[in-house]
Amino acid sequence: MLVIVIWAVAIAAAIVGGLQILSFRQASLGNDAIARVQARWAARAGVETMIAIMEYHTENPDPDDALALILDLEDHSFGKLETGTYDIRHFLDGFEIAGPLDEHSKANINLLSSAELMNIEDMTPDVVGAIIDWRDGNEDAGMLGAEKTFYQNRGKSFEPRNANFRNFAEIELVAGVWPDLTREEDWNLNGRIDPNEDDGEQTWPEDNPDGILNAGWSDVLTASSRTSPRAASGEDRLNLAIATSEEVVERLGLTATQASALLAYAKTPNARLEQLLVLPLSTLSQGGASNASGSPGFSGGASGKSSEDSAAQGRTGRSSGGRTATTGGVTQAGPANLDVATIGRVMNECTLKEFIRPEPGKMNVNTVSGRVLKEVFDMNPKLVDSLLSRRDAKVTGLTSLAAVLDIPGMTPQILSSLASKLDVQSFVFTITSRGRSVTVGGESEIMVTVDRSTLPAQILMYREP
Ligand SMILES: [Ca+2]
Ligand SMILES: [Ca+2]
Ligand SMILES: [Ca+2]
Ligand SMILES: [Ca+2]
């Protein structure tokens, strides 16, 4: 009898013990699950915060502060919630930067010429040829290129898009492209340094464990930057191909004579706003408006300011175009040439063609990396350094490209060609938000590419590994 009782106790104890182990295990499984959920929502909170800030700045633009959005994003790149924290950062050109990656800090692969592509480290002529063929609309393979048949003959299940690259990772499908070149140390292409990317040979990939992320081609190239109809002021850009003289006077503060000369130039074939930096308005407008400009010289005092104004003076008031002359506008002389600040405003606020859909975007002079300018565009390193130090010295960033005309080594010709690639605005950002739970052990990452030029902002890519 006693034996049975002891047995029963022993069995009961065993059962209780077993139950305890089970419930401990379940509790810890529960904790893991809670930690994961907390981390994921913390990461999500970071993403939502960034998008809210972008939308705020789209709604409330400050044309006098080119860094307002960037710094606001940076200031909120770390956040604490009751159940976790998030942090958002990225690497660019060897530096770790708080906040989302500005896609306009890199060169858009869809805009680069063969020569520019060839400038990229470790690029080869056959890969350049294959990139061009991937992107161009036709099926004619270039000398070293590769079109559809090339991929078919190698049993590939895909073929060239024959249109613009939609994201950077697509480049890895192109013939001859290898991930060790496109990604180098950033093996998961998230723009951040992960533990396995900073531990040498211990784990894949092999890397130099120096705390710096060398991200190969992904450090200089993007396919995500886009154009927007929005001007720096927040209004839609004024399309000079169809604008009236009154609109130009009103929006840019030009004289009526200057406005008609600008409109006349805008209607000439191959007109480019950047040309205003190189040639006087009176000369440019002659082609299409010989009746409006009698002589190529200056008009008699129609404008309050002359073109000698140094760019260092920066933004001037709207009156700088010489509004006094708008009354009547009957002077027979040619238009007074635009001062540098006004040219900057024309480039910031106008366009020469109708906006139909977003196209590959320009780089933002306020965020572009030195590596991109030096390597991809083969710019004089000294000039790049003075450009970037001028930029970094301004608390409000560069609100107009015209403000760098006076840096050492800059010429109107160089600036004009730069202006076809650079702007002062950014629309597309990639947020890589890492969430951590308060409960031990939870970590989660969300990567989102956002175009803030429309309201609500548009999600172009969402990735949750
Ligand atoms: Ca093609
Ligand atoms: Ca990474
Ligand atoms: Ca490694
Ligand atoms: Ca490294």
Side-chain angles (χ1 to χ4, degrees):
M1 197 55 160
L2 187 65
V3 176
I4 293 169
V5 171
I6 291 172
W7 262 109
V9 171
I11 289 168
I15 290 171
V16 170
L19 278 175
Q20 268 177 342
I21 289 170
L22 191 67
S23 60
F24 272 133
R25 195 173 291 157
Q26 278 178 340
S28 85
L29 276 179
N31 281 344
D32 284 352
I34 288 170
R36 272 200 309 276
V37 171
Q38 286 177 337
R40 182 163 180 248
W41 284 99
R44 176 71 184 269
V47 170
E48 298 291 348
T49 306
M50 294 297 108
I51 293 176
I53 292 172
M54 289 179 205
E55 289 179 339
Y56 174 85
H57 285 268
T58 296
E59 238 180 324
N60 306 281
D62 184 352
D64 296 329
D65 188 352
L67 293 179
L69 167 64
I70 309 281
L71 294 179
D72 207 0
L73 292 170
E74 199 177 306
D75 284 349
H76 294 86
S77 60
F78 180 84
K80 211 167 173 186
L81 311 149
E82 250 173 65
T83 53
T85 57
Y86 64 80
D87 92 88
I88 295 154
R89 57 179 99 166
H90 65 279
F91 256 95
L92 185 71
D93 196 8
F95 294 97
E96 191 167 42
I97 302 169
L101 164 78
D102 179 359
E103 295 289 349
H104 299 258
S105 61
K106 302 179 181 178
N108 195 307
I109 188 174
N110 296 307
L111 296 176
L112 296 182
S113 67
S114 300
E116 286 160 348
L117 285 167
M118 200 55 220
N119 287 337
I120 298 170
E121 196 182 353
D122 296 323
M123 188 63 81
T124 51
D126 57 319
V127 170
V128 170
I131 289 174
I132 301 286
D133 278 338
W134 185 276
R135 192 175 82 169
D136 68 23
N138 63 53
E139 281 293 343
D140 315 323
M143 193 124 83
L144 291 164
E147 291 282 3
K148 194 163 150 184
T149 46
F150 179 94
Y151 295 86
Q152 280 171 345
N153 292 342
R154 277 152 190 80
K156 302 288 187 197
S157 56
F158 52 84
E159 54 191 61
R161 187 183 288 285
N162 284 341
N164 283 335
F165 287 83
R166 291 204 191 152
N167 56 58
F168 175 78
E170 193 177 319
I171 194 182
E172 294 184 354
L173 300 177
V174 173
V177 176
W178 298 98
D180 51 344
L181 296 177
T182 55
R183 308 178 184 201
E184 218 171 308
E185 294 178 335
D186 189 12
W187 205 247
N188 58 359
L189 274 182
N190 66 349
R192 296 180 62 138
I193 195 159
D194 294 274
N196 66 309
E197 297 167 352
D198 196 32
D199 66 354
E201 292 178 15
Q202 277 187 38
T203 57
W204 187 259
E206 276 180 38
D207 58 77
N208 173 8
D210 55 0
I212 293 171
L213 186 70
N214 292 313
W217 297 352
S218 74
D219 190 38
V220 290
L221 294 178
T222 178
S224 304
S225 57
R226 293 168 121 189
T227 57
S228 157
R230 277 176 197 271
S233 63
E235 286 181 75
D236 278 359
R237 281 179 186 269
L238 185 62
N239 182 356
L240 296 180
I242 53 170
T244 64
S245 176
E246 289 73 32
E247 284 174 314
V248 175
V249 169
E250 172 74 21
R251 177 98 172 244
L252 302 164
L254 304 191
T255 66
T257 327
Q258 288 172 326
S260 22
L262 183 61
L263 290 176
Y265 173 59
K267 287 183 178 65
T268 59
N270 307 321
R272 284 171 54 238
L273 292 178
E274 301 90 55
Q275 276 297 104
L276 292 167
L277 288 162
V278 186
L279 291 169
L281 180 58
S282 50
T283 311
L284 288 173
S285 62
Q286 268 183 333
S290 42
N291 57 332
S293 54
S295 78
F298 288 80
S299 69
S303 165
K305 289 197 154 204
S306 72
S307 54
E308 284 105 60
D309 276 348
S310 124
Q313 276 180 276
R315 300 170 297 279
T316 54
R318 286 205 147 204
S319 60
S320 62
R323 278 197 160 177
T324 44
T326 57
T327 46
V330 286
T331 59
Q332 283 299 301
N337 293 316
L338 305 176
D339 62 81
V340 169
T342 309
I343 294 172
R345 207 157 57 236
V346 172
M347 292 194 300
N348 279 358
E349 294 295 316
C350 300
T351 177
L352 292 177
K353 60 176 184 180
E354 191 193 351
F355 183 87
I356 298 166
R357 66 181 73 83
E359 285 169 18
K362 289 182 178 184
M363 299 173 290
N364 184 344
V365 68
N366 291 293
T367 56
V368 67
S369 83
R371 181 182 168 194
V372 170
L373 296 178
K374 290 174 191 171
E375 185 177 318
V376 185
F377 297 100
D378 198 22
M379 273 180 72
N380 178 329
K382 273 191 186 155
L383 183 61
V384 173
D385 291 341
S386 12
L387 179 67
L388 298 195
S389 50
R390 166 65 63 85
R391 161 187 98 181
D392 297 340
K394 291 225 168 188
V395 199
T396 56
L398 301 172
T399 50
S400 157
L401 275 180
V404 297
L405 192 50
D406 63 337
I407 63 171
M410 187 61 83
T411 65
Q413 285 75 13
I414 296 176
L415 188 58
S416 169
S417 91
L418 269 182
S420 62
K421 302 174 168 69
L422 290 170
D423 200 351
V424 294
Q425 285 181 287
S426 295
F427 302 104
V428 182
F429 292 83
T430 294
I431 306 160
T432 306
S433 177
R434 191 167 289 170
R436 283 185 186 85
S437 60
V438 280
T439 315
V440 182
E443 209 174 282
S444 179
E445 191 174 284
I446 300 178
M447 200 174 162
V448 186
T449 302
V450 181
D451 180 353
R452 67 165 190 105
S453 56
T454 53
L455 286 172
Q458 200 185 340
I459 307 290
L460 303 181
M461 187 276 292
Y462 184 97
R463 197 174 107 191
E464 216 175 322

